[in-house]
Amino acid sequence: MPEIKVTPLGAGQDVGRSCILVSIGGKNIMLDCGMHMGYNDDRRFPDFSYITQNGRLTDFLDCVIISHFHLDHCGALPYMSEMVGYDGPIYMTHPTKAICPILLEDFRKITVDKKGETNFFTSQMIKDCMKKVIPLNLHQTVQVDDELEIKAYYAGHVLGAAMVHIKVGSESVVYTGDYNMTPDRHLGAAWIDKCRPDILISESTYATTIRDSKRCRERDFLKKVHESIERGGKVLIPVFALGRAQELCILLETFWERMNLKAPIYFSTGLTEKANHYYKLFITWTNQKIRKTFVQRNMFEFKHIKAFDRSYADNPGPMVVFATPGMLHAGQSLQIFKKWAGNEKNMVNPFPEQRKLDVKMQVEYMSFSAHADAKGIMQLIRMAEPRNMLLVHGEAAKMEFLKGKIEQEFNCYMPANGETTSVITNPSVPVDMSLNLLKREMALGGPLPDPKKPRAMHGTLIMKENSLKLVSSEQALKELGLNEHQLRFTCRVQLQDPHSDSDTLHRIYTHLKSLLKDYTIQHLPDGTVMVESIVIKVSSSAEDANSKVLLLSWSYQDEDLGSYLSSLLKKGLPT
Amino acid sequence: MAAHLKKRVYEEFSRVVQIPHEEAPAKKLRLSKPSKSAALHIDLCKATNSTDALQYLLQFARKPVEVESVEGVIRILLEHYYKETDNSVRLKIASLLGLLSKTNGFSPDCVVDDVINTLGNEKSHQVLAQLLDTLLVVGTQLPESPAVRPRLVEVACKLLSDTYFGVRNKCLQLLGCLGMVDTPLRQLPFRDVQSIISNYFSDQDPRVRTAALKAMLQLHERGLKIHQIIYEQACRLLSDDYEQVRSAAVQIVWVLSQLYPESIVPIPSSNEEIRLVDDAFGKISHMVSDGSWMVRVQAAKTLGSMLQVSPHFLEQTLDKKLMSDLRRKRTAHERAKELFASGEFSSGRKWADDAPKEKLDTNTVNLIASGACGAFVHGLEDEMFEVRIAAVEALCQLARSSPSFAEKCLDFLVDMFNDEIEEVRLQSIHVLREISTHITLREDQLDTVLAVLEDSSRDIREALHELLCYTNVSTKECIQLALLDLLKNLNKYPTDRNSVWKCLKFLGSRHPTLVLPLVPELLSTHPYFDTPEPDMDDPAYIAVLVLVFNAAKSCPTMPALFSDHTFRHYAYLRDSLSHLVPPLRLPGRKQVYSLDSVDPGCGSGSVESAKLFLQQSLNRVSTIQNLETPGAQDLLNFTIRDLQRLGELQTELAGAADFCATYLRCQLLLMKALQEKLWNMAVPLCLKQNVTATAAAQQILEETYKLEFLYSGLESRQVATIHHVRLQAKALQLILTARTRPGSCEKFLQEIESFQRMFLTELPHLQDGFVDKLLELMPRLLSCKPVELVKILQSSLRQSGLLQLRLPEQIHRASATIIEPTGESDNPLRFTTGLVVALDIDATLEHVQEPQDKVKVQVLYPDGQSHVIHPKPADFRNPGPNRHRLITQVYLSHTAWTEPSQVEVRLLLAYSSSSSSPSSSIKSGWSDSIDGLPPAEAAVEGTIPFSKPVKVYIMPKPARR
């Protein structure tokens, strides 16, 4: 039986270092190649030795697909392609391809330059790796080789995030990456068509959460910031570099515009600035509002948001500052936090830090997360209608719950790292059918449409050079240069009947006529009765004039009717 | 020089002399057109190949065909159809047949037989589909024909088994348009049209499935009752793969839910049963999270009209059943409510108050079949603003019929005030206003609403002011909060002044008891000390006073809290802003406006009495027998004065009173013009009187146009009366000018005729009138000479009586007020000559129909130049019934002036007599057939100024070189 095998190398019952191997129809595909934020040792990267102990991976993988630019989905890519060794195609969307190297470079700098690690990939390796990348467009079907094709769908989450539909023959798998079913201020919602894949591999970060409407959160956030600004306070918003930061920027920018506010908004420089540049370019990947208005004004060309300089922190008057890192544990955000913490007018959002510091400023916690919640996951399942479900990128306990829910309808798996799940598929075998035959069979159908009902038909299946063809038997004979052979069944039926031969025949004729109303029955002058194409003859036996021998003859196409007639006649004629 | 002279000479010679040739009779040309069918036949025969034939047919299709020749053309076409071998040509012919069958006045019965015959022999599926389309056209032309209908239905049933989807589509369309539900078909005795159509709900082609659903909807639209049996099938189609099928299925499910709301359907996989409307509601709610946004819009819209749904299901749509880590979580809305209830609203939020509470049983969480759960939460959060708007509108409709739901959806609507698209924000504000009768805002909700007052969009702010006018609040803190925010708004956007004042007026009069405790604080009075008198011109102070005075109207104890200067300010504001400040009973003050201070309790009574008075005055006037009765003039004078005063006092009757007064003024003018004693004198001697009479006639004409176009709600009887007066004025004109202007007599006679034609039904009401007399004398008039005619007119004008004016139910005068510019500014608007300056204009229009076409802005420069500017249609907003708002910019420009001066800006109402005359529709009907006949009455176009002019100080400076 054909089967699809899925093995997570990372992100199996876990969040981080997403890396999933899929074998489908003889093809091996790696989905995502991420790193784990929590580890600094070998566990940081997926265990590629699972694929092969020694040597390069090129021979074992047909392609690698990266869903989006977050490091837990692409962080191990240079390591895999350059240090382990992989020369095959790597697929990602255009925005991912643009932004991914910036993040990888930043990651490399922190690890090598700040932490002083050795044996890490270099800038050159990142560049070499990116050369192997083939960009994808949304809804574009890319033929990786003759049999394997992939297609990207919009996933929300971050700019350029995509879900991929992988198809070999009639078997298919959808990998969602990270996705978001509720639109936000700069991105739309994930969407997929009803592709009915064999397996849907979905993230499940929020498997046990149903979130409140985004509007309340936004409103709260804006209200708090606005109040603080009106009091003359300063607002610090620690953010991770990419994704959410842009959403909050758009949110504040439009609010400032609407409310005619004048207080400055600052954005700490660095990689965000570079990334912003790409956000401006990839307008088609953003939400309806931004796409529709960018002709007048590109929303990412902020009017109120300016680059931050260290000295601005001491400026008097209200201001809003976005600063990295989001955890408030180091760097700029911590510096500013220390500076402003003493004043109760000020506000920080979102992560509080327990430290010996006289914190007078207000601390607000707000979560703007862009993963699908339990309802969102179910919504995607309804959209795609998969046959099986496989959960990754989430905590085991939470997955259990969702798995239980999904299993009410169909199979659901949640393999751990290194554990293989195989799903038996039932691929359909496509056969070319000749048009004439099809039309003939269609004409035979009933008057009412009934597309779901399987139908039996006569035809000849020709298997030739890896292709299957269904044609009518005449055509098959012609094509193969064979002569047609008639196959006829003949059968004798003994009958006790005192009448003469011709009378008997006539009685048979009337008898059949009365029974088989829908068939054409003829009494031919040469002493035969024809029921459709079945011939019935009567002859008296030599010994006994009363016992007649009926001769029935039919071709094998009329087997049903012929055998019915013979059994009918064996019962004798009515007196 | 020589050349110059030569040119001059040529100019002299080549001067064109214009000879008036009005006299020349209009020559009429009647073209006898060659038969269309013959021409077509020749063309088609000429065609050697199919491309040529197609070309000819295309050309032919561009020109209309007269009714008489349709039949012939169809014969020719059919003849060619039988001969033609090319599919595309046959297809075109088939489509032409359909087109021709639509010709007005042609009865397409005869086509049916031919087309049905050709159907039998046609091999091409496309042509078949086109032929069926032709039959569809014929069938819709003859909806009631008993012979054609069953035949067409029969044909459609026969061809339903075709393999081509287009043919099946058309068959289903035919069935939908013509099939009857209750009469079983002849050849299929046990099956009616409905079950045949529903069989195709499961066709293999999505287009056919859609067509089947649409055909079913068509049956419903035709008023046939759809059976409930198809409900289950339709529900299955809600999960079809194709969006157009799902969209149509949503409609069918909705239709069924409206037809059989109370019937019971089983819930699959359980033994329970629910009402059909609830079930359908759940299923359509589910579609709000469909993959296709078209379906989502459809579903959201549909939900709004399912008013019979049980409250239980309705309330589910707003509940998403939040959880976090399998613990139940409360929504932000619930938390806000609790926080408010616990009295901690002002202290802000508590830390981690959104922490999840009790643990949920995993079995009770329902993720898969969520039904109506959270449908609106999803809809309002949708990616596409079209869906969000549809959801907001649906919420509005549902909330209007269910107060408890209105209360619940309040939070969600308020959240929508923060949407990223302005249209959605505006819509949700409007919706909240519409349901505001059902709700009372909590303080925290009000706080969120008020935050939007700072929005930079004027439309949003004004919508919000409008909303606040209708809002109920619960506490005095709310009033204070609203006032503070409105003052902040006023400070930030001073142009909102009027809107803010108006808003406070309603806020005050709605919540007198809540304002009362705030009064000392608002007016900053102190029990012991005198506080300084506030600046009377401060808009913020005026705003506070408007709030207080309006509250004081129904709270008699309040004036006791006022200080001296408040009373003085009251008197001032009552005069200057009388529309915002109500009359108050103040202790120790004389009632200046006795009529106004009638308390609202007997307000309706006073309207009644005013109506009675109006009627009496009119009756009194009607006693005047003819225009020469002595004392008639005085009576008219007094009545006009009375009516004018009445209009000022009783705003409800202002339109009617004004209308009557103007009408009477016309009569008075006419009377004066005729009463000149000098009419008997020889003509050359009465030149002076002639001048006054001419002026009077002109003025009456103008007034009649005002009467006709400035007032809305006129019935044809009043229009006839107005036209009658106009005719009188024209007669007067004719008497004065008949001698000098030949041809005017004929014109006048034509006018009488057209009057007769237009108001044929009204003539009985015009007995004893001027027209009545004229019509009697018509045969004589037609034959007599101008001199005689003038004499007749003169006598009949004098003898004819005054027509009594019958008032219609409702009559309103169109009016406009320019709010901006105010005309108070002393600073001239400076700009460089040759360049333009934009002047913002903000005006309210009342009782103007289709202002987009009619209202114009006129700018009058001091040198007499005037410009008329037509504002863009988008500049008009419609904030309420019969109310429009014009916010536009006009561009001014002029050559340099030595010192600043004023230009006048006013609004004009454009009219055209042809557009409003009641017979216009008929006229356009036959003007096509009887071409060449000039319209009986030349359309008179003009404008009526209907707003007070506003002066704007401008100064064009000379350009610096």
Side-chain angles (χ1 to χ4, degrees), chain B residues 618 620-627 632 636 663-664 666-668 670-671 724 728 767-769 799-805:
Chain B
L618 286 180
R620 214 177 315 136
V621 172
S622 69
T623 54
I624 302 173
Q625 282 306 315
N626 67 34
L627 298 177
L636 279 178
Y663 174 72
L664 293 179
C666 289
Q667 296 291 356
L668 185 66
L670 193 65
M671 208 179 271
H724 185 249
Q728 282 177 312
Q767 256 170 17
D768 297 338
Q799 284 156 18
S800 62
L802 192 68
L803 273 184
Q804 203 193 339
L805 190 65

Side-chain angles (χ1 to χ4, degrees), chain B residues 391-404:
Chain B
V392 166
E393 271 161 11
L395 267 186
C396 169
Q397 282 174 317
L398 291 168
R400 260 188 304 199
S401 66
S402 157
S404 68

